[in-house]
Amino acid sequence: MRPRIDPQDVDEFAVTPAGHAYARTAKESLNGLLADRPPPNVTRTIANHPALLAAIQPLMAHVAGEVLPARERELVILRTAWRSQAAYVWAHHHAAGLFVGLSETEIARVASEDTSEWTLFEAALLAAVDELHTRSVISDDTWKRLADRYTEEQLLELPALIGTYKTLAFILNSCATPIESWLERPAALPAGPGRFC
């Protein structure tokens, strides 16, 4: 499918203030994994609305940080991608999940309603994504399981992370943003858990 909004040209983007900001954060993100790659299509698509990119880019950089443990962060992003049927996010964070220690088997299990093979805490993280997706609130039981381990800062970070990636899913899915050609063998998005996933 052709993009509804084309990502901004790499060279044009590089000379913008957002391009300079991206170059700085790419060196730090995922231990520099993205530093030698062109700016991703997500950033260059949103760059067509410079004020929006200026507003969202710091949030994207923040939630990619270390407030939540990397493995848990990627688990949550993958679940959000699956629930949102966001192929772009799934492809990128499949690679990121492997980078931070999730196995192929674990990533495949993210796309399942069955949480019995996860730890109780990991199952609570997945439940938090599901509950926010369907009801816009984390239930009392799930909150209690999360609060047994997470600080207040982390409890605030979690819905912000999920919400940020839900917003990105809205944008990327609606713009038909293509997955980068440099992403080797991008993982295919598993089918969602029903029509209204």
Side-chain angles (χ1 to χ4, degrees), residues 22-96:
Y22 174 79
R24 286 191 302 274
T25 60
K27 291 175 186 171
E28 301 159 10
S29 180
L30 293 174
N31 295 327
L33 185 66
L34 301 176
D36 296 328
R37 302 286 191 188
N41 289 338
V42 56
T43 305
R44 292 186 295 111
T45 296
I46 302 171
N48 288 294
H49 183 344
L52 177 61
L53 182 60
I56 203 170
Q57 197 168 30
L59 182 59
M60 290 166 57
H62 171 80
V63 297
E66 299 303 320
V67 175
L68 300 181
R71 175 187 163 87
E72 293 165 12
R73 180 185 69 237
E74 292 304 323
L75 189 65
V76 165
I77 294 170
L78 284 163
R79 185 67 160 208
T80 304
W82 178 61
R83 284 282 177 191
S84 306
Q85 285 296 279
Y88 183 98
V89 176
W90 181 270
H92 277 268
H93 287 275
H94 179 277

Side-chain angles (χ1 to χ4, degrees), residues 56-195:
I56 203 170
Q57 197 168 30
L59 182 59
M60 290 166 57
H62 171 80
V63 297
E66 299 303 320
V67 175
L68 300 181
R71 175 187 163 87
E72 293 165 12
R73 180 185 69 237
E74 292 304 323
L75 189 65
V76 165
I77 294 170
L78 284 163
R79 185 67 160 208
T80 304
W82 178 61
R83 284 282 177 191
S84 306
Q85 285 296 279
Y88 183 98
V89 176
W90 181 270
H92 277 268
H93 287 275
H94 179 277
L98 292 173
F99 183 79
V100 301
L102 287 168
S103 69
E104 288 281 5
T105 302
E106 288 172 319
I107 292 172
R109 271 197 282 126
V110 168
S112 169
E113 299 281 6
D114 180 8
T115 59
S116 61
E117 293 189 52
W118 296 103
T119 68
L120 289 176
F121 188 78
E122 290 167 337
L125 289 171
L126 298 176
V129 175
D130 297 349
E131 291 165 1
L132 287 172
H133 185 86
T134 57
R135 296 189 300 269
S136 299
V137 64
I138 297 173
S139 70
D140 288 343
D141 287 344
T142 302
W143 185 268
K144 183 179 182 315
R145 283 187 283 157
L146 294 168
D148 284 343
R149 187 151 126 204
Y150 272 1
T151 64
E152 287 185 351
E153 182 182 54
Q154 290 172 313
L155 289 168
L156 287 166
E157 183 84 4
L158 179 62
L161 172 66
I162 296 165
T164 299
Y165 276 88
K166 188 66 181 175
T167 299
L168 290 174
F170 288 153
I171 294 168
L172 295 165
N173 290 353
S174 296
C175 294
T177 302
I179 296 168
E180 283 74 11
S181 58
W182 53 256
L183 191 62
E184 293 179 22
R185 296 183 305 282
L189 174 69
R195 183 166 169 229

